[in-house]
């Protein structure tokens, strides 16, 4: 069964001086302010498309890695994943770096690296972002 999740943004003004609000419609978790300075300079308490992509990617990757590890008979006790999305004004998103540290009883470092690489390649968000370079650092805790 397919699912659809929705969000919307209301933007007022031009790119450089305007601002907007992103509303998470499906979850109802609230509204987040966005602006060009929060995207291209300092966040200053506002989000950006890149931060939203980082949240989506880190959670999707964690789910994919957990699923792969469990399917191989070595379910993780804990996975801590971060995603750093780099944005260069005038160029766009220039790369994503995933960092994962896992507690996986019964698995060695080589097995964890292989599982993490597979999750990086096959998680739906990685596949959707395949036009960007995605790198990975993975280690066991």
């Amino acid at each position: 069964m397919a699912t659809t999740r929705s969000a919307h943004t209301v933007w007022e003004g031009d790119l450089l001086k305007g601002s907007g609000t992103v509303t998470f419609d499906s979850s109802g978790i609230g509204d987040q302010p966005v602006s060009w300075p929060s995207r291209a300079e300092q966040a200053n308490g506002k989000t950006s498309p890149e931060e939203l992509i980082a949240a989506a990617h880190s959670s999707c990757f964690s789910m994919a890695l957990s699923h792969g590890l469990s399917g191989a008979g070595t379910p993780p006790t804990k996975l801590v994943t971060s995603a750093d999305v780099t944005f260069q004004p005038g160029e766009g998103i220039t790369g994503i770096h995933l960092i994962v540290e896992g507690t996986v009883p019964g698995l060695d470092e080589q097995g964890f690296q292989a599982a993490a690489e597979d999750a990086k390649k096959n998680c739906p968000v990685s596949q959707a972002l395949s036009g960007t370079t995605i790198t990975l650092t993975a280690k066991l805790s």
Side-chain angles (χ1 to χ4, degrees):
M1 177 179 193
T3 60
T4 301
R5 300 294 182 256
S6 301
H8 75 274
T9 300
V10 176
W11 186 269
E12 296 177 349
D14 67 10
L15 174 63
L16 298 179
K17 295 180 183 170
S19 63
T21 302
V22 176
T23 301
F24 298 90
D25 299 320
S26 298
S27 65
I29 61 173
D31 304 328
Q32 292 297 314
V34 295
S35 69
W36 177 254
S38 70
R39 184 178 194 184
E41 298 166 16
Q42 296 298 315
N44 293 321
K46 297 180 175 130
T47 195
S48 68
E50 292 71 30
E51 184 178 39
L52 299 171
I53 289 170
H57 206 176
S58 66
S59 59
C60 183
F61 172 86
S62 294
M63 290 179 199
L65 181 54
S66 175
H67 181 67
L69 290 167
S70 296
T74 53
T77 303
K78 184 177 184 179
L79 299 171
V80 178
T81 305
S82 61
D84 297 325
V85 177
T86 302
F87 173 75
Q88 178 64 46
E91 290 182 46
I93 294 173
T94 58
I96 300 170
H97 186 67
L98 295 168
I99 303 160
V100 62
E101 185 170 331
T103 305
V104 188
L107 189 65
D108 64 11
E109 195 70 40
Q110 184 178 359
F112 186 67
Q113 293 284 333
E117 283 291 339
D118 185 67
K120 179 189 88 165
K121 177 183 173 187
N122 293 307
C123 93
V125 172
S126 288
Q127 291 178 349
L129 299 171
S130 63
T132 270
T133 300
I134 302 170
T135 56
L136 172 68
T137 300
K139 67 178 185 172
L140 288 171
S141 0

